[in-house]
């Protein structure tokens, strides 16, 4: 039981490049989330998926797109990376969107030059 | 969005001693959840303890306990018998119990140093 896994762990991009961050969970959770963590800040919600087939914007969605590929997987795409998107990205999941606890993956450190 | 404030950027405690981390929040809601997450250097976010606002009894998990003061909108974390492995960033987080309660709202964190 791996919980929430994320790939890659580290990534360096040049401005304008695109990439997709992958997230998968094996806990049979319905809801999944993408957060970003900037230096000296707590996590902020980018997008979430309350259930398979649905996605919604969070607090900071600009510059990102998401895909809920199936119940297990939720990907985050940067179409044209910008230096302001340099951050640590966390994926999380919960049993339902109203469930108390969200379980987090290990994070992806992304640097955009 | 609800605001979560952690006024202590850094705290230090000696091994085996007790330390309290502070958290206040701003909300007009009556039903919500509060959490403390630990983030060690590995970056993994680990749930330490959670509190339901409708419960008057303070949550405890082994050496970790909270002091939840609903009227004062305060939610502090007490770590007893501190261990070297407790060194980490600690984040306080709020989540609404209502229809918009999908996001965790985090404070900026408190860095805890544990000295031998």
């Amino acid at each position: 039981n791996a919980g929430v896994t994320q790939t890659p762990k580290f990534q360096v991009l040049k401005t304008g490049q695109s990439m997709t961050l992958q997230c998968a969970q094996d806990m049979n959770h319905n809801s999944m989330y993408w957060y970003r963590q900037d230096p000296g800040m707590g996590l902020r919600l980018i997008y979430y998926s309350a259930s398979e087939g649905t996605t919604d914007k969070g607090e900071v969605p600009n510059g990102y797109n998401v895909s809920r590929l199936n119940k297990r997987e939720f990907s985050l795409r940067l179409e044209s990376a910008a230096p302001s998107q340099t951050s640590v990205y966390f994926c999380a999941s919960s049993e339902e969107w109203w469930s108390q606890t969200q379980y987090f993956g290990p994070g992806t450190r992304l640097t955009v030059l | 969005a609800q605001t979560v404030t952690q006024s202590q950027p850094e705290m230090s405690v000696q091994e085996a001693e007790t330390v309290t981390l502070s958290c206040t929040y701003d909300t007009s809601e009556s039903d919500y959840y509060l959490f403390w997450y630990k983030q060690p250097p590995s970056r993994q976010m680990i749930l330490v303890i959670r509190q339901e606002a409708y419960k008057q009894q303070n949550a405890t998990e082994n050496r970790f306990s909270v002091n939840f003061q609903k009227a004062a909108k305060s939610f502090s974390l007490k770590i007893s018998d501190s261990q070297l492995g407790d060194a980490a960033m600690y984040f306080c987080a709020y989540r609404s119990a209502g229809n918009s309660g999908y996001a965790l709202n985090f404070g900026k964190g408190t860095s805890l140093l544990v000295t031998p």
Side-chain angles (χ1 to χ4, degrees):
Chain A
N1 190 339
V4 180
T5 57
Q6 292 182 236
T7 54
K9 287 187 167 51
F10 302 93
Q11 183 70 50
V12 178
L13 292 178
K14 294 181 180 177
T15 298
Q17 287 185 317
S18 63
M19 81 159 294
T20 300
L21 280 64
Q22 306 287 353
C23 173
Q25 51 89 11
D26 62 1
M27 296 177 283
N28 201 35
H29 286 173
N30 283 309
S31 301
M32 298 183 74
Y33 313 81
W34 276 106
Y35 290 87
R36 63 177 285 174
Q37 183 181 28
D38 299 313
M41 301 282 290
L43 281 67
R44 292 182 293 168
L45 186 68
I46 306 171
Y47 269 94
Y48 73 103
S49 171
S51 61
E52 186 179 355
T54 69
T55 60
D56 282 287
K57 296 177 180 178
E59 183 184 353
V60 289
N62 291 346
Y64 305 96
N65 285 302
V66 290
S67 294
R68 185 72 183 268
L69 304 170
N70 48 55
K71 190 172 184 177
R72 287 188 64 248
E73 298 172 290
F74 188 39
S75 62
L76 178 72
R77 182 159 179 84
L78 287 70
E79 290 292 351
S80 179
S84 61
Q85 294 178 304
T86 293
S87 190
V88 180
Y89 291 85
F90 288 93
C91 179
S93 71
S94 64
E95 198 168 337
E96 302 288 351
W97 69 262
W98 62 83
S99 299
Q100 289 184 24
T101 303
Q102 295 179 12
Y103 298 89
F104 286 82
T108 294
R109 182 177 293 279
L110 175 66
T111 301
V112 183
L113 303 175
Chain B
Q2 286 73 16
T3 303
V4 178
T5 302
Q6 294 179 249
S7 58
Q8 305 153 318
E10 293 179 352
M11 291 284 286
S12 181
V13 63
Q14 278 195 315
E15 221 176 343
E17 297 296 310
T18 296
V19 65
T20 299
L21 308 184
S22 301
C23 172
T24 59
Y25 55 94
D26 183 25
T27 186
S28 58
E29 299 176 327
S30 59
D31 199 12
Y32 48 87
Y33 305 104
L34 295 165
F35 305 85
W36 280 98
Y37 278 89
K38 171 185 176 182
Q39 186 179 42
S42 67
R43 290 204 314 261
Q44 180 78 48
M45 294 290 286
I46 302 164
L47 177 67
V48 175
I49 198 165
R50 65 176 177 229
Q51 173 81 43
E52 295 90 340
Y54 64 85
K55 289 187 177 179
Q56 291 188 341
Q57 187 171 5
N58 290 324
T60 61
E61 287 287 343
N62 300 315
R63 297 183 294 109
F64 299 87
S65 61
V66 298
N67 184 3
F68 173 47
Q69 302 288 331
K70 192 172 183 179
K73 298 178 184 176
S74 170
F75 183 60
S76 61
L77 174 70
K78 185 170 83 170
I79 306 174
S80 304
D81 186 25
S82 296
Q83 300 175 359
L84 293 177
D86 294 334
M89 283 291 288
Y90 286 82
F91 291 95
C92 178
Y94 172 105
R95 190 177 85 76
S96 172
N99 289 334
S100 63
Y102 44 82
L104 287 167
N105 293 298
F106 286 86
K108 292 186 178 182
T110 296
S111 178
L112 178 65
L113 175 67
V114 181
T115 56

